[in-house]
Each structure stands twice: as C-alpha cells, then as structure tokens.
Amino acid sequence: RKEVEQDPGPFNVPEGATVAFNCTYSNSASQSFFWYRQDCRKEPKLLMSVYSSGNEDGRFTAQLNRASQYISLLIRDSKLSDSATYLCVVNTGRRALTFGSGTRLQVQP
Amino acid sequence: GAVVSQHPSWVICKSGTSVKIECRSLDFQATTMFWYRQFPKQSLMLMATSNEGSKATYEQGVEKDKFLINHASLTLSTLTVTSAHPEDSSFYICSARDLGIADTQYFGPGTRLTVL
C-alpha cells in the first residue's frame, strides 16, 4: 500500500465549479500535512498546510481527519489558472516529505 | 519566501558520462537538503537525504555509488549522476529545509536530465 494515496483524476471542471480532492495516508504517526501544486515541468510549490481544525485560504479549504487518516482540499469558484496537478504531501517525521501521486485538475472555459 | 536554486535547469548528455547538479539555498542555511526524482506522470520519489558535513542517507533501491551526493556547506548540495544511462533520464528536484521554519521545505526549480 502506498504511504499517501490520492484520487487518480484527472478532474475536468468548468470555470466557477467547486472541486474536491481527497487523500489518505497510512502512517498514523505522520506529523504534518500539506497540499502542493505542481505545474507541468515545474517544481512543486506549497499551496497550504493542513491543520486538524481545518483551514481556509481564499478559495481553498483544507481539512484533516486524523482518526480516519484523511486529508481533503476544496477549491471554490475554479479559475483557469487553477489547472495543475495537486499533490497531497505528508511529513512522517523523517524530515523528508512523502508525496502522493497527484491529482490533475483541468479547468475549462 | 526562501529561494532554492538548481543548476543546470536542463542537461542532455551521452550515455556513460557523469552529470553534476547543484542545489543552493540562497537566503537561508540548510543543514539538510533532499534529492527527489520524478519520472513522467509519476510523483516525486525521495532518492536521498543530504546532510551537511556527513554522509548522505539513501533510500532503498537508490545506488549510492551511482548517485554521489556532497553537502560541503550549509548552502550547497551536489548530486552527481555517474555513468549516466538513458533510464536515468528524469526530472531531478532538490529541496532544502529552512532551520527557522521546522516543517517548511523549499524546492529548487528542478533539473531535467536527458541521457541519449
């Protein structure tokens, strides 16, 4: 079983749509959680950290459920510029990050 | 935010040659840097952890004699792919951990290696 599993995607949505990505992790000792965004042929960039209480940054909302070992990302009012691959990332305490395989989002006009 | 640079951004080489990739933290010191590899349509896979002043820690299945890592200073780590083969063609990305922000890692822009 992979340490971090994500929806396979791709997600094709119209502009303005709300889209949700899910992620599960296997290591219950995982300490911190993130969503990264990766554009084609570019390095990953931190989108937001994920906290147990849930957190929001503009149109983006992240949730963490430690009991279920589940992380989610909600994007409201999708923009064309949101098209990218979204990576669920977990820090298991080894200091290196463990990446999910990513979910590709394509927002269409 | 913190900046990490990589050089070169892309390289094409012949099979059997060695290629050195540099990773630098530009405005912070990083005792730990990480080297990842990403094949097309796959996620980033950790290759090794580079520790300043000591030997790198390699992930299972990564040959330490093939992927030489040197972390000679708090701002520079190098990855040398020795005797490169076509199957080593990949996107190599480094990241550096900011001591001031425990769980934040900053990624370099990546190096695209193509071995002919």
Side-chain angles (χ1 to χ4, degrees):
Chain A
R1 183 186 170 189
K2 292 182 182 178
E3 287 191 71
V4 180
E5 296 206 57
Q6 292 186 240
D7 283 349
F11 284 57
N12 295 299
V13 302
E15 271 187 290
T18 295
V19 60
F21 302 139
N22 303 316
C23 168
T24 56
Y25 60 95
S26 61
N27 188 335
S28 60
S30 298
Q31 299 173 357
S32 48
F33 311 88
F34 311 90
W35 283 100
Y36 276 72
R37 169 194 171 130
Q38 186 174 25
D39 292 290
C40 190
R41 303 175 79 88
K42 300 283 188 180
E43 78 278 20
K45 293 190 175 174
L46 179 65
L47 180 65
M48 59 197 303
S49 300
V50 188
Y51 304 112
S52 297
S53 54
N55 49 299
E56 187 174 307
D57 183 2
R59 298 181 292 109
F60 300 84
T61 301
Q63 298 275 356
L64 167 65
N65 184 322
R66 285 188 183 268
S68 303
Q69 295 179 202
Y70 171 93
I71 306 162
S72 66
L73 176 68
L74 184 76
I75 305 175
R76 291 181 298 278
D77 189 23
S78 300
K79 311 289 185 192
L80 294 175
S81 57
D82 294 334
S83 298
T85 296
Y86 290 83
L87 303 168
C88 177
V89 182
V90 173
N91 185 330
T92 60
R94 291 171 20 186
R95 299 195 296 176
L97 299 175
T98 302
F99 287 79
S101 56
T103 301
R104 189 159 167 260
L105 172 66
Q106 184 65 48
V107 181
Q108 295 162 339
Chain B
V3 178
V4 175
S5 71
Q6 266 185 256
H7 177 80
S9 55
W10 60 269
V11 58
I12 301 172
C13 69
K14 292 182 179 179
S15 187
T17 59
S18 293
V19 176
K20 180 188 280 189
I21 303 170
E22 293 186 349
C23 177
R24 292 181 186 273
S25 57
L26 298 182
D27 54 0
F28 66 99
Q29 294 182 329
T31 56
T32 304
M33 292 185 176
F34 304 97
W35 286 97
Y36 295 84
R37 179 167 55 180
Q38 186 177 34
F39 292 107
K41 298 187 178 181
Q42 295 185 26
S43 191
L44 277 74
M45 295 299 296
L46 178 67
M47 297 176 67
T49 301
S50 173
N51 303 298
E52 188 268 336
S54 65
K55 291 183 180 180
T57 305
Y58 290 82
E59 295 299 297
Q60 191 172 10
V62 178
E63 299 175 56
K64 62 180 181 181
D65 294 329
K66 180 170 180 62
F67 298 99
L68 302 178
I69 292 173
N70 184 283
H71 195 150
S73 77
L74 287 171
T75 60
L76 172 64
S77 174
T78 62
L79 168 68
T80 301
V81 183
T82 63
S83 187
H85 291 285
E87 57 265 30
D88 298 323
S89 299
S90 188
F91 191 44
Y92 291 85
I93 307 176
C94 72
S95 73
R97 188 167 181 244
D98 189 336
L99 289 175
I101 306 173
D103 281 328
T104 302
Q105 290 189 20
Y106 298 96
F107 285 86
T111 297
R112 192 161 298 279
L113 171 63
T114 302
V115 184
L116 302 176

mmCIF file of all heavy atoms in Angstrom, chain A residues 31-32 34 36 38 40-46 87 91 94-102, chain B residues 31-32 34 36 38 42-44 46 49 51 59 91 93 97 103-105 107-110 112:
data_model
loop_
_atom_site.group_PDB
_atom_site.id
_atom_site.type_symbol
_atom_site.label_atom_id
_atom_site.label_comp_id
_atom_site.label_asym_id
_atom_site.label_seq_id
_atom_site.Cartn_x
_atom_site.Cartn_y
_atom_site.Cartn_z
ATOM 1 N N GLN A 31 3.121 13.641 11.033
ATOM 2 C CA GLN A 31 3.087 14.811 11.903
ATOM 3 C C GLN A 31 2.539 16.065 11.246
ATOM 4 O O GLN A 31 1.940 16.899 11.902
ATOM 5 C CB GLN A 31 4.499 15.075 12.418
ATOM 6 C CG GLN A 31 5.067 13.929 13.228
ATOM 7 C CD GLN A 31 6.518 14.138 13.595
ATOM 8 O OE1 GLN A 31 7.138 15.114 13.208
ATOM 9 N NE2 GLN A 31 7.073 13.209 14.346
ATOM 10 N N SER A 32 2.790 16.227 9.985
ATOM 11 C CA SER A 32 2.306 17.438 9.334
ATOM 12 C C SER A 32 1.907 17.126 7.902
ATOM 13 O O SER A 32 2.356 16.146 7.305
ATOM 14 C CB SER A 32 3.357 18.559 9.391
ATOM 15 O OG SER A 32 4.606 18.094 9.008
ATOM 16 N N PHE A 34 0.336 18.712 3.997
ATOM 17 C CA PHE A 34 0.364 19.861 3.091
ATOM 18 C C PHE A 34 -0.341 19.506 1.792
ATOM 19 O O PHE A 34 -0.434 18.340 1.408
ATOM 20 C CB PHE A 34 1.822 20.233 2.756
ATOM 21 C CG PHE A 34 2.721 20.348 3.949
ATOM 22 C CD1 PHE A 34 3.418 19.235 4.411
ATOM 23 C CD2 PHE A 34 2.892 21.552 4.608
ATOM 24 C CE1 PHE A 34 4.260 19.323 5.498
ATOM 25 C CE2 PHE A 34 3.731 21.646 5.706
ATOM 26 C CZ PHE A 34 4.413 20.535 6.151
ATOM 27 N N TYR A 36 0.468 20.651 -2.098
ATOM 28 C CA TYR A 36 1.348 21.343 -3.020
ATOM 29 C C TYR A 36 0.684 21.369 -4.387
ATOM 30 O O TYR A 36 -0.115 20.497 -4.735
ATOM 31 C CB TYR A 36 2.700 20.612 -3.155
ATOM 32 C CG TYR A 36 3.715 20.933 -2.083
ATOM 33 C CD1 TYR A 36 3.574 20.465 -0.782
ATOM 34 C CD2 TYR A 36 4.842 21.698 -2.381
ATOM 35 C CE1 TYR A 36 4.517 20.756 0.193
ATOM 36 C CE2 TYR A 36 5.797 21.986 -1.419
ATOM 37 C CZ TYR A 36 5.622 21.504 -0.140
ATOM 38 O OH TYR A 36 6.561 21.791 0.824
ATOM 39 N N GLN A 38 1.677 21.528 -8.499
ATOM 40 C CA GLN A 38 2.776 21.387 -9.458
ATOM 41 C C GLN A 38 2.257 21.653 -10.857
ATOM 42 O O GLN A 38 1.334 20.967 -11.330
ATOM 43 C CB GLN A 38 3.418 20.001 -9.385
ATOM 44 C CG GLN A 38 4.660 19.866 -10.254
ATOM 45 C CD GLN A 38 5.391 18.545 -10.094
ATOM 46 O OE1 GLN A 38 4.803 17.543 -9.713
ATOM 47 N NE2 GLN A 38 6.687 18.524 -10.379
ATOM 48 N N CYS A 40 3.011 21.852 -14.999
ATOM 49 C CA CYS A 40 3.731 20.958 -15.908
ATOM 50 C C CYS A 40 5.202 21.339 -16.025
ATOM 51 O O CYS A 40 5.534 22.494 -16.296
ATOM 52 C CB CYS A 40 3.039 20.992 -17.269
ATOM 53 S SG CYS A 40 3.646 19.734 -18.404
ATOM 54 N N ARG A 41 6.062 20.377 -15.784
ATOM 55 C CA ARG A 41 7.505 20.544 -15.944
ATOM 56 C C ARG A 41 8.099 21.587 -14.992
ATOM 57 O O ARG A 41 9.134 22.187 -15.267
ATOM 58 C CB ARG A 41 7.854 20.887 -17.391
ATOM 59 C CG ARG A 41 7.346 19.852 -18.383
ATOM 60 C CD ARG A 41 7.599 20.287 -19.806
ATOM 61 N NE ARG A 41 8.980 20.064 -20.214
ATOM 62 C CZ ARG A 41 9.420 18.946 -20.735
ATOM 63 N NH1 ARG A 41 8.614 17.905 -20.878
ATOM 64 N NH2 ARG A 41 10.679 18.819 -21.108
ATOM 65 N N LYS A 42 7.418 21.798 -13.888
ATOM 66 C CA LYS A 42 7.920 22.739 -12.882
ATOM 67 C C LYS A 42 8.030 22.027 -11.540
ATOM 68 O O LYS A 42 7.531 20.916 -11.369
ATOM 69 C CB LYS A 42 6.940 23.915 -12.721
ATOM 70 C CG LYS A 42 6.721 24.715 -13.982
ATOM 71 C CD LYS A 42 7.880 25.639 -14.236
ATOM 72 C CE LYS A 42 7.569 26.572 -15.391
ATOM 73 N NZ LYS A 42 8.682 27.498 -15.662
ATOM 74 N N GLU A 43 8.684 22.701 -10.589
ATOM 75 C CA GLU A 43 8.798 22.112 -9.271
ATOM 76 C C GLU A 43 7.498 22.298 -8.480
ATOM 77 O O GLU A 43 6.716 23.212 -8.759
ATOM 78 C CB GLU A 43 9.977 22.737 -8.500
ATOM 79 C CG GLU A 43 9.714 24.116 -7.913
ATOM 80 C CD GLU A 43 9.884 25.241 -8.919
ATOM 81 O OE1 GLU A 43 9.831 24.991 -10.143
ATOM 82 O OE2 GLU A 43 10.062 26.379 -8.454
ATOM 83 N N PRO A 44 7.258 21.476 -7.467
ATOM 84 C CA PRO A 44 6.070 21.654 -6.628
ATOM 85 C C PRO A 44 6.183 22.947 -5.819
ATOM 86 O O PRO A 44 7.274 23.321 -5.388
ATOM 87 C CB PRO A 44 6.102 20.452 -5.683
ATOM 88 C CG PRO A 44 7.102 19.523 -6.229
ATOM 89 C CD PRO A 44 8.066 20.333 -7.031
ATOM 90 N N LYS A 45 5.054 23.569 -5.615
ATOM 91 C CA LYS A 45 5.029 24.782 -4.774
ATOM 92 C C LYS A 45 3.960 24.622 -3.710
ATOM 93 O O LYS A 45 2.869 24.117 -3.974
ATOM 94 C CB LYS A 45 4.761 26.016 -5.630
ATOM 95 C CG LYS A 45 5.914 26.297 -6.583
ATOM 96 C CD LYS A 45 5.794 27.629 -7.269
ATOM 97 C CE LYS A 45 7.045 27.873 -8.104
ATOM 98 N NZ LYS A 45 6.959 29.085 -8.915
ATOM 99 N N LEU A 46 4.315 25.024 -2.503
ATOM 100 C CA LEU A 46 3.409 24.879 -1.385
ATOM 101 C C LEU A 46 2.147 25.694 -1.610
ATOM 102 O O LEU A 46 2.209 26.904 -1.848
ATOM 103 C CB LEU A 46 4.102 25.321 -0.087
ATOM 104 C CG LEU A 46 3.252 25.250 1.179
ATOM 105 C CD1 LEU A 46 2.881 23.804 1.503
ATOM 106 C CD2 LEU A 46 4.002 25.873 2.361
ATOM 107 N N LEU A 87 -0.751 17.907 -5.259
ATOM 108 C CA LEU A 87 -0.052 16.835 -4.559
ATOM 109 C C LEU A 87 -0.372 16.869 -3.072
ATOM 110 O O LEU A 87 -0.216 17.912 -2.420
ATOM 111 C CB LEU A 87 1.462 16.980 -4.749
ATOM 112 C CG LEU A 87 1.961 17.003 -6.188
ATOM 113 C CD1 LEU A 87 3.416 17.450 -6.243
ATOM 114 C CD2 LEU A 87 1.829 15.627 -6.807
ATOM 115 N N ASN A 91 4.422 14.690 6.099
ATOM 116 C CA ASN A 91 5.705 14.584 6.773
ATOM 117 C C ASN A 91 5.559 13.508 7.843
ATOM 118 O O ASN A 91 4.815 13.673 8.803
ATOM 119 C CB ASN A 91 6.087 15.918 7.402
ATOM 120 C CG ASN A 91 7.484 15.887 8.003
ATOM 121 O OD1 ASN A 91 7.958 14.847 8.448
ATOM 122 N ND2 ASN A 91 8.144 17.026 8.020
ATOM 123 N N ARG A 94 10.353 11.822 9.269
ATOM 124 C CA ARG A 94 11.697 11.535 8.772
ATOM 125 C C ARG A 94 12.367 12.787 8.240
ATOM 126 O O ARG A 94 13.468 12.734 7.755
ATOM 127 C CB ARG A 94 11.614 10.493 7.655
ATOM 128 C CG ARG A 94 11.214 9.127 8.104
ATOM 129 C CD ARG A 94 10.939 8.232 6.907
ATOM 130 N NE ARG A 94 11.566 8.735 5.702
ATOM 131 C CZ ARG A 94 11.393 8.217 4.504
ATOM 132 N NH1 ARG A 94 10.627 7.166 4.357
ATOM 133 N NH2 ARG A 94 11.961 8.718 3.441
ATOM 134 N N ARG A 95 11.660 13.902 8.267
ATOM 135 C CA ARG A 95 12.112 15.199 7.771
ATOM 136 C C ARG A 95 11.928 15.321 6.264
ATOM 137 O O ARG A 95 11.682 16.390 5.768
ATOM 138 C CB ARG A 95 13.555 15.501 8.182
ATOM 139 C CG ARG A 95 13.721 15.543 9.695
ATOM 140 C CD ARG A 95 15.010 16.192 10.099
ATOM 141 N NE ARG A 95 16.168 15.447 9.647
ATOM 142 C CZ ARG A 95 17.413 15.872 9.812
ATOM 143 N NH1 ARG A 95 17.651 17.047 10.384
ATOM 144 N NH2 ARG A 95 18.429 15.153 9.406
ATOM 145 N N ALA A 96 12.055 14.238 5.538
ATOM 146 C CA ALA A 96 11.731 14.320 4.111
ATOM 147 C C ALA A 96 10.221 14.220 3.971
ATOM 148 O O ALA A 96 9.536 13.678 4.822
ATOM 149 C CB ALA A 96 12.393 13.180 3.354
ATOM 150 N N LEU A 97 9.730 14.753 2.887
ATOM 151 C CA LEU A 97 8.298 14.730 2.632
ATOM 152 C C LEU A 97 7.942 13.513 1.792
ATOM 153 O O LEU A 97 8.714 13.076 0.950
ATOM 154 C CB LEU A 97 7.887 15.994 1.895
ATOM 155 C CG LEU A 97 8.149 17.310 2.638
ATOM 156 C CD1 LEU A 97 7.814 18.494 1.750
ATOM 157 C CD2 LEU A 97 7.348 17.363 3.925
ATOM 158 N N THR A 98 6.758 12.977 2.031
ATOM 159 C CA THR A 98 6.245 11.872 1.231
ATOM 160 C C THR A 98 5.111 12.395 0.379
ATOM 161 O O THR A 98 4.146 12.961 0.900
ATOM 162 C CB THR A 98 5.763 10.725 2.132
ATOM 163 O OG1 THR A 98 6.852 10.286 2.950
ATOM 164 C CG2 THR A 98 5.287 9.556 1.282
ATOM 165 N N PHE A 99 5.226 12.201 -0.905
ATOM 166 C CA PHE A 99 4.275 12.754 -1.856
ATOM 167 C C PHE A 99 3.281 11.712 -2.333
ATOM 168 O O PHE A 99 3.637 10.568 -2.597
ATOM 169 C CB PHE A 99 5.008 13.296 -3.082
ATOM 170 C CG PHE A 99 5.748 14.568 -2.829
ATOM 171 C CD1 PHE A 99 6.975 14.559 -2.191
ATOM 172 C CD2 PHE A 99 5.226 15.782 -3.231
ATOM 173 C CE1 PHE A 99 7.666 15.731 -1.955
ATOM 174 C CE2 PHE A 99 5.907 16.958 -2.995
ATOM 175 C CZ PHE A 99 7.122 16.936 -2.357
ATOM 176 N N GLY A 100 2.034 12.145 -2.494
ATOM 177 C CA GLY A 100 1.075 11.339 -3.221
ATOM 178 C C GLY A 100 1.370 11.453 -4.705
ATOM 179 O O GLY A 100 2.210 12.259 -5.128
ATOM 180 N N SER A 101 0.693 10.651 -5.482
ATOM 181 C CA SER A 101 0.955 10.633 -6.923
ATOM 182 C C SER A 101 0.345 11.821 -7.646
ATOM 183 O O SER A 101 0.624 12.049 -8.811
ATOM 184 C CB SER A 101 0.458 9.331 -7.537
ATOM 185 O OG SER A 101 -0.913 9.163 -7.235
ATOM 186 N N GLY A 102 -0.490 12.579 -6.950
ATOM 187 C CA GLY A 102 -1.021 13.793 -7.551
ATOM 188 C C GLY A 102 -2.349 13.580 -8.235
ATOM 189 O O GLY A 102 -2.644 12.501 -8.756
ATOM 190 N N THR B 31 20.981 22.696 6.804
ATOM 191 C CA THR B 31 21.820 21.555 7.175
ATOM 192 C C THR B 31 21.341 20.293 6.485
ATOM 193 O O THR B 31 22.081 19.333 6.339
ATOM 194 C CB THR B 31 21.788 21.315 8.690
ATOM 195 O OG1 THR B 31 20.441 21.143 9.104
ATOM 196 C CG2 THR B 31 22.410 22.469 9.445
ATOM 197 N N THR B 32 20.101 20.313 6.067
ATOM 198 C CA THR B 32 19.533 19.140 5.397
ATOM 199 C C THR B 32 18.911 19.552 4.075
ATOM 200 O O THR B 32 18.125 20.489 4.012
ATOM 201 C CB THR B 32 18.464 18.472 6.274
ATOM 202 O OG1 THR B 32 19.027 18.149 7.539
ATOM 203 C CG2 THR B 32 17.960 17.200 5.611
ATOM 204 N N PHE B 34 17.257 17.616 0.402
ATOM 205 C CA PHE B 34 16.712 16.361 -0.087
ATOM 206 C C PHE B 34 16.768 16.332 -1.614
ATOM 207 O O PHE B 34 16.567 17.353 -2.272
ATOM 208 C CB PHE B 34 15.249 16.194 0.356
ATOM 209 C CG PHE B 34 15.057 16.285 1.844
ATOM 210 C CD1 PHE B 34 14.660 17.482 2.414
ATOM 211 C CD2 PHE B 34 15.276 15.190 2.652
ATOM 212 C CE1 PHE B 34 14.483 17.582 3.794
ATOM 213 C CE2 PHE B 34 15.112 15.276 4.012
ATOM 214 C CZ PHE B 34 14.717 16.477 4.590
ATOM 215 N N TYR B 36 15.070 14.525 -4.900
ATOM 216 C CA TYR B 36 13.944 13.749 -5.393
ATOM 217 C C TYR B 36 14.129 13.512 -6.896
ATOM 218 O O TYR B 36 14.825 14.255 -7.580
ATOM 219 C CB TYR B 36 12.628 14.509 -5.195
ATOM 220 C CG TYR B 36 12.220 14.757 -3.759
ATOM 221 C CD1 TYR B 36 12.720 15.847 -3.056
ATOM 222 C CD2 TYR B 36 11.312 13.913 -3.107
ATOM 223 C CE1 TYR B 36 12.334 16.087 -1.741
ATOM 224 C CE2 TYR B 36 10.922 14.155 -1.798
ATOM 225 C CZ TYR B 36 11.435 15.248 -1.131
ATOM 226 O OH TYR B 36 11.051 15.492 0.173
ATOM 227 N N GLN B 38 11.598 12.553 -10.367
ATOM 228 C CA GLN B 38 10.227 12.428 -10.851
ATOM 229 C C GLN B 38 10.237 11.989 -12.291
ATOM 230 O O GLN B 38 10.730 12.703 -13.175
ATOM 231 C CB GLN B 38 9.470 13.755 -10.704
ATOM 232 C CG GLN B 38 7.997 13.655 -11.044
ATOM 233 C CD GLN B 38 7.258 14.963 -10.811
ATOM 234 O OE1 GLN B 38 7.818 16.037 -10.995
ATOM 235 N NE2 GLN B 38 5.993 14.876 -10.411
ATOM 236 N N GLN B 42 4.468 10.608 -12.902
ATOM 237 C CA GLN B 42 4.597 9.982 -11.593
ATOM 238 C C GLN B 42 4.900 11.044 -10.549
ATOM 239 O O GLN B 42 5.193 12.193 -10.886
ATOM 240 C CB GLN B 42 5.705 8.924 -11.602
ATOM 241 C CG GLN B 42 5.399 7.742 -12.507
ATOM 242 C CD GLN B 42 6.445 6.657 -12.414
ATOM 243 O OE1 GLN B 42 7.128 6.512 -11.404
ATOM 244 N NE2 GLN B 42 6.592 5.877 -13.470
ATOM 245 N N SER B 43 4.804 10.648 -9.293
ATOM 246 C CA SER B 43 5.056 11.619 -8.240
ATOM 247 C C SER B 43 6.538 11.702 -7.925
ATOM 248 O O SER B 43 7.347 10.939 -8.450
ATOM 249 C CB SER B 43 4.275 11.225 -6.986
ATOM 250 O OG SER B 43 4.305 12.285 -6.063
ATOM 251 N N LEU B 44 6.865 12.646 -7.080
ATOM 252 C CA LEU B 44 8.251 12.777 -6.658
ATOM 253 C C LEU B 44 8.615 11.608 -5.746
ATOM 254 O O LEU B 44 7.862 11.256 -4.836
ATOM 255 C CB LEU B 44 8.454 14.065 -5.861
ATOM 256 C CG LEU B 44 8.658 15.334 -6.663
ATOM 257 C CD1 LEU B 44 7.370 15.799 -7.281
ATOM 258 C CD2 LEU B 44 9.241 16.429 -5.776
ATOM 259 N N LEU B 46 11.627 10.295 -3.188
ATOM 260 C CA LEU B 46 12.827 10.684 -2.476
ATOM 261 C C LEU B 46 13.965 9.731 -2.822
ATOM 262 O O LEU B 46 13.808 8.509 -2.757
ATOM 263 C CB LEU B 46 12.573 10.661 -0.972
ATOM 264 C CG LEU B 46 13.760 11.014 -0.078
ATOM 265 C CD1 LEU B 46 14.146 12.481 -0.273
ATOM 266 C CD2 LEU B 46 13.435 10.747 1.388
ATOM 267 N N THR B 49 18.745 11.818 1.405
ATOM 268 C CA THR B 49 18.805 12.979 2.285
ATOM 269 C C THR B 49 20.257 13.393 2.407
ATOM 270 O O THR B 49 21.125 12.576 2.756
ATOM 271 C CB THR B 49 18.236 12.626 3.669
ATOM 272 O OG1 THR B 49 16.893 12.187 3.513
ATOM 273 C CG2 THR B 49 18.290 13.824 4.602
ATOM 274 N N ASN B 51 23.095 15.531 4.153
ATOM 275 C CA ASN B 51 23.374 16.146 5.451
ATOM 276 C C ASN B 51 24.711 16.876 5.401
ATOM 277 O O ASN B 51 25.734 16.287 5.022
ATOM 278 C CB ASN B 51 23.442 15.065 6.532
ATOM 279 C CG ASN B 51 22.180 14.239 6.597
ATOM 280 O OD1 ASN B 51 21.102 14.750 6.866
ATOM 281 N ND2 ASN B 51 22.292 12.953 6.333
ATOM 282 N N GLU B 59 17.712 6.251 0.033
ATOM 283 C CA GLU B 59 16.507 5.452 0.132
ATOM 284 C C GLU B 59 16.774 4.069 -0.467
ATOM 285 O O GLU B 59 17.674 3.880 -1.285
ATOM 286 C CB GLU B 59 15.353 6.131 -0.596
ATOM 287 C CG GLU B 59 14.934 7.455 0.033
ATOM 288 C CD GLU B 59 14.464 7.296 1.456
ATOM 289 O OE1 GLU B 59 13.448 6.596 1.681
ATOM 290 O OE2 GLU B 59 15.115 7.886 2.362
ATOM 291 N N PHE B 91 13.439 14.048 -14.104
ATOM 292 C CA PHE B 91 13.408 15.398 -13.553
ATOM 293 C C PHE B 91 13.923 15.287 -12.117
ATOM 294 O O PHE B 91 13.325 14.603 -11.295
ATOM 295 C CB PHE B 91 11.969 15.912 -13.590
ATOM 296 C CG PHE B 91 11.793 17.370 -13.294
ATOM 297 C CD1 PHE B 91 12.635 18.325 -13.847
ATOM 298 C CD2 PHE B 91 10.746 17.814 -12.493
ATOM 299 C CE1 PHE B 91 12.453 19.680 -13.595
ATOM 300 C CE2 PHE B 91 10.554 19.160 -12.238
ATOM 301 C CZ PHE B 91 11.408 20.097 -12.784
ATOM 302 N N ILE B 93 14.827 17.019 -8.603
ATOM 303 C CA ILE B 93 14.452 18.209 -7.832
ATOM 304 C C ILE B 93 15.071 18.119 -6.446
ATOM 305 O O ILE B 93 14.995 17.071 -5.793
ATOM 306 C CB ILE B 93 12.919 18.327 -7.679
ATOM 307 C CG1 ILE B 93 12.238 18.253 -9.034
ATOM 308 C CG2 ILE B 93 12.542 19.612 -6.963
ATOM 309 C CD1 ILE B 93 10.725 18.260 -8.940
ATOM 310 N N ARG B 97 15.536 22.362 3.728
ATOM 311 C CA ARG B 97 14.711 22.582 4.915
ATOM 312 C C ARG B 97 15.220 23.840 5.616
ATOM 313 O O ARG B 97 16.394 23.950 5.940
ATOM 314 C CB ARG B 97 14.825 21.375 5.829
ATOM 315 C CG ARG B 97 13.879 21.387 7.003
ATOM 316 C CD ARG B 97 13.851 20.013 7.650
ATOM 317 N NE ARG B 97 12.941 19.960 8.765
ATOM 318 C CZ ARG B 97 13.297 19.742 10.026
ATOM 319 N NH1 ARG B 97 14.568 19.537 10.317
ATOM 320 N NH2 ARG B 97 12.405 19.713 10.980
ATOM 321 N N ASP B 103 8.974 22.821 9.587
ATOM 322 C CA ASP B 103 8.378 21.889 8.637
ATOM 323 C C ASP B 103 8.285 22.437 7.225
ATOM 324 O O ASP B 103 7.550 21.899 6.423
ATOM 325 C CB ASP B 103 6.969 21.506 9.126
ATOM 326 C CG ASP B 103 7.056 20.462 10.224
ATOM 327 O OD1 ASP B 103 7.988 19.654 10.182
ATOM 328 O OD2 ASP B 103 6.184 20.466 11.111
ATOM 329 N N THR B 104 8.988 23.498 6.962
ATOM 330 C CA THR B 104 8.879 24.078 5.630
ATOM 331 C C THR B 104 10.055 23.672 4.780
ATOM 332 O O THR B 104 11.203 23.822 5.177
ATOM 333 C CB THR B 104 8.798 25.609 5.718
ATOM 334 O OG1 THR B 104 7.680 25.955 6.525
ATOM 335 C CG2 THR B 104 8.644 26.224 4.342
ATOM 336 N N GLN B 105 9.742 23.144 3.639
ATOM 337 C CA GLN B 105 10.781 22.812 2.681
ATOM 338 C C GLN B 105 10.544 23.617 1.414
ATOM 339 O O GLN B 105 9.414 23.763 0.969
ATOM 340 C CB GLN B 105 10.760 21.321 2.351
ATOM 341 C CG GLN B 105 11.214 20.448 3.494
ATOM 342 C CD GLN B 105 11.394 19.000 3.084
ATOM 343 O OE1 GLN B 105 11.540 18.685 1.911
ATOM 344 N NE2 GLN B 105 11.369 18.120 4.057
ATOM 345 N N PHE B 107 11.552 24.071 -2.582
ATOM 346 C CA PHE B 107 12.043 23.277 -3.694
ATOM 347 C C PHE B 107 12.817 24.118 -4.690
ATOM 348 O O PHE B 107 12.475 25.277 -4.941
ATOM 349 C CB PHE B 107 10.874 22.597 -4.413
ATOM 350 C CG PHE B 107 10.321 21.430 -3.645
ATOM 351 C CD1 PHE B 107 9.361 21.622 -2.682
ATOM 352 C CD2 PHE B 107 10.803 20.149 -3.879
ATOM 353 C CE1 PHE B 107 8.869 20.554 -1.946
ATOM 354 C CE2 PHE B 107 10.311 19.071 -3.145
ATOM 355 C CZ PHE B 107 9.341 19.278 -2.190
ATOM 356 N N GLY B 108 13.842 23.514 -5.242
ATOM 357 C CA GLY B 108 14.508 24.129 -6.374
ATOM 358 C C GLY B 108 13.647 23.958 -7.614
ATOM 359 O O GLY B 108 12.683 23.191 -7.605
ATOM 360 N N PRO B 109 13.998 24.643 -8.687
ATOM 361 C CA PRO B 109 13.193 24.589 -9.917
ATOM 362 C C PRO B 109 13.351 23.298 -10.702
ATOM 363 O O PRO B 109 12.650 23.078 -11.678
ATOM 364 C CB PRO B 109 13.704 25.789 -10.724
ATOM 365 C CG PRO B 109 15.091 25.982 -10.232
ATOM 366 C CD PRO B 109 15.080 25.614 -8.791
ATOM 367 N N GLY B 110 14.253 22.440 -10.269
ATOM 368 C CA GLY B 110 14.410 21.150 -10.932
ATOM 369 C C GLY B 110 15.421 21.174 -12.059
ATOM 370 O O GLY B 110 15.726 22.221 -12.647
ATOM 371 N N ARG B 112 16.178 18.961 -15.579
ATOM 372 C CA ARG B 112 15.689 17.900 -16.471
ATOM 373 C C ARG B 112 16.888 17.266 -17.150
ATOM 374 O O ARG B 112 17.598 17.922 -17.897
ATOM 375 C CB ARG B 112 14.720 18.481 -17.496
ATOM 376 C CG ARG B 112 13.950 17.404 -18.253
ATOM 377 C CD ARG B 112 12.693 17.965 -18.905
ATOM 378 N NE ARG B 112 11.759 18.500 -17.921
ATOM 379 C CZ ARG B 112 10.912 17.756 -17.210
ATOM 380 N NH1 ARG B 112 10.889 16.453 -17.344
ATOM 381 N NH2 ARG B 112 10.082 18.345 -16.361
#
